[in-house]
Amino acid sequence: MKRLLIILSVFLGITTNAVHAEPSLIPAPPELAASSYILMDAYTGDILVSHNADEKLPPASLTKLMTAYITEYELARGDISVDDKVTISEKAWRMKGSRTFVREGTRVPLMTLMQGMIVQSGNDATVAIAEHIAGSESAFADLMNQHAKLLGMKGSHFVNATGYPADDHYSTAHDIAIVARATITQFPENYPLYAEKYFTYNNIRQPNRNRLLWRDKSVDGLKTGHTEAAGFCLAASAVRNGTRLITVVMGTKSDEARASESQKLLDYGFRYYETRKLYSRGQVVNDARVWGGSQNTVKVGFADDVLVTLPRQDADSLPASLQMNPEIEAPIKVGDVLGKIVVGTADNIVLERNVVALEPVEQGGFFKRMFDKIKLFFMNLF
């Protein structure tokens, strides 16, 4: 029996009469004066532009994005609290480079240290956080590498929490984009910290070094970095009209360059691409036939929202087909995969996503199961 194929023609602007539509013409992306860079859709994870994005480079203070991610992870687990009073060690106090100017022996609220780390890029605040979570910075670095592996960051190795120059400490633009995306999507409650323009501690007011926070109202994060070896780096994110993009630019020549080159990449992405929500979590796309069940049909849909990154001109001109499993038999549990949706053409498949049972179906009685088997047998003869 052939796989059941249902053509969807009315769902959220996806049409089936545009298979032969002319493809969008998109210019080549800008070439940036940077060693490595990437442009990623924050919601789908799709990579729109990349250049040397998997090259292992010193990440400087972009490292703090991983430290912040782990902090937010531990907060979500309930293992630490933003109200925790963190004792500042001599090591933290003596840290060089960017500082929050915390004093040795004082007890500082964790939230204050997070602001110092994210807004001021304070190395002292960062080390204090690492020690609070893992006991020592070296133990925290082990934790960073474990989380990097779980996130799929294949080109990173961390030996400290700050990005202070050290042998065998490296990452990639791609990996930094991955942890930035995880921060945005997994811990949105803490994300407003990345948009703060100033933070004052110990009567010292310092600005966020991300120039785009002042230049582009759509930009709301994330982090700068700079060392002599790394050059000037910036991980930025912005949202416009429901589309959120992430850029990571590494190895530019100046503070101004990292901002202007990141802006070029963001403007290109928003000009030519958009994130489209095709289907919602729990949306019913079919009532599929069930054999041998206590009911004859089961509602089929999606376990999560279905998002896709598309060229703007193509957003309303893609076909979609729903391919159901040929024989669906009870019992069925919520979440059982019963088929898949395919968006795009045979030559250009944009997305494939499983469709699942949205309700349980128990087995029917003996006579119901027997009757359905007989009926199914004769149907398969033809």
Side-chain angles (χ1 to χ4, degrees):
M1 183 175 180
K2 292 184 177 180
R3 176 183 286 269
L4 178 61
L5 177 66
I6 302 174
I7 300 296
L8 307 180
S9 59
V10 294
F11 285 108
L12 297 173
I14 300 179
T15 61
T16 58
N17 57 1
V19 176
H20 300 294
E22 291 295 325
S24 298
L25 299 178
I26 298 178
E31 294 185 4
L32 307 188
S35 301
S36 173
Y37 51 86
I38 194 168
L39 175 65
M40 176 185 286
D41 186 304
Y43 297 135
T44 66
D46 291 340
I47 297 172
L48 309 180
V49 178
S50 68
H51 173 74
N52 294 337
D54 292 314
E55 182 179 355
K56 296 175 182 177
L57 297 169
S61 284
L62 296 186
T63 300
K64 294 184 176 84
L65 287 175
M66 174 57 83
T67 302
Y69 171 82
I70 294 173
T71 306
E72 292 160 17
Y73 177 88
E74 295 292 329
L75 285 169
R77 283 169 52 91
D79 292 338
I80 57 176
S81 165
V82 293
D83 298 321
D84 286 354
K85 296 297 190 294
V86 179
T87 300
I88 306 303
S89 69
E90 180 181 356
K91 178 181 178 180
W93 172 66
R94 289 188 179 277
M95 284 301 299
K96 298 179 181 179
S98 302
R99 300 174 65 194
T100 299
F101 297 101
V102 292
R103 293 189 293 268
E104 180 186 2
T106 59
R107 289 169 58 80
V108 182
L110 179 61
M111 176 54 74
T112 300
L113 294 174
M114 290 176 66
Q115 290 174 291
M117 174 175 63
I118 293 169
V119 182
Q120 301 172 334
S121 198
N123 290 334
D124 48 359
T126 304
V127 170
I129 290 173
E131 292 175 338
H132 180 66
I133 292 174
S136 69
E137 188 178 13
S138 60
F140 187 83
D142 289 339
L143 199 58
M144 296 171 77
N145 291 318
Q146 292 177 46
H147 275 277
K149 185 176 181 179
L150 291 172
L151 288 170
M153 298 168 62
K154 299 179 180 179
S156 296
H157 184 261
F158 302 103
V159 300
N160 61 52
T162 63
Y164 201 78
D167 292 339
D168 206 30
H169 185 100
Y170 53 83
S171 189
T172 69
H174 189 181
D175 281 0
I176 296 297
I178 288 173
V179 72
R181 178 175 181 244
T183 296
I184 292 167
T185 58
Q186 294 181 27
F187 309 115
E189 65 278 5
N190 293 320
Y191 186 66
L193 284 175
Y194 296 87
E196 291 186 9
K197 293 181 179 179
Y198 295 96
F199 180 60
T200 301
Y201 183 77
N202 199 17
N203 295 320
I204 301 172
R205 186 173 187 251
Q206 298 185 65
N208 193 315
R209 294 172 176 81
N210 183 358
R211 290 175 179 256
L212 294 185
L213 293 176
W214 281 266
R215 297 181 181 180
D216 185 338
K217 292 182 179 180
S218 69
V219 173
D220 54 10
L222 290 147
K223 189 76 191 67
T224 60
H226 171 249
T227 63
E228 183 176 349
F232 290 83
C233 309
L234 175 60
S237 183
V239 60
R240 301 179 193 173
N241 299 318
T243 297
R244 176 177 284 280
L245 300 179
I246 295 169
T247 63
V248 179
V249 174
M250 303 178 72
T252 67
K253 298 299 184 183
S254 68
D255 182 11
E256 171 59 33
R258 68 183 172 192
S260 60
E261 299 303 270
S262 297
Q263 188 73 70
K264 290 177 187 177
L265 213 49
L266 287 171
D267 289 343
Y268 173 83
F270 285 120
R271 171 65 180 84
Y272 293 106
Y273 294 91
E274 69 175 320
T275 308
R276 175 61 66 92
K277 182 179 179 179
L278 301 184
Y279 305 98
S280 299
R281 176 182 179 181
Q283 180 177 341
V284 178
V285 295
N286 189 33
D287 288 311
R289 179 69 164 91
V290 177
W291 301 97
S294 58
Q295 59 192 54
N296 290 328
T297 62
V298 60
K299 295 185 183 304
V300 176
F302 300 96
D304 298 293
D305 290 345
V306 179
L307 305 173
V308 64
T309 309
L310 296 170
R312 286 191 172 277
Q313 298 90 333
D314 288 348
D316 295 315
S317 60
L318 285 173
S321 62
L322 181 64
Q323 301 174 2
M324 298 302 301
N325 295 345
E327 297 176 7
I328 299 173
E329 297 184 3
I332 298 170
K333 301 187 298 294
V334 173
D336 283 352
V337 175
L338 302 180
K340 67 178 179 179
I341 191 168
V342 180
V343 178
T345 66
D347 296 330
N348 181 28
I349 295 176
V350 175
L351 175 142
E352 291 189 18
R353 186 66 59 85
N354 289 333
V355 291
V356 302
L358 298 178
E359 59 183 346
V361 178
E362 297 180 355
Q363 278 190 330
F366 173 79
F367 290 105
K368 176 65 164 59
R369 299 198 306 272
M370 183 63 66
F371 177 78
D372 277 2
K373 284 185 178 180
I374 295 172
K375 187 174 182 179
L376 188 59
F377 171 78
F378 283 105
M379 287 183 62
N380 286 335
L381 289 179
F382 301 98

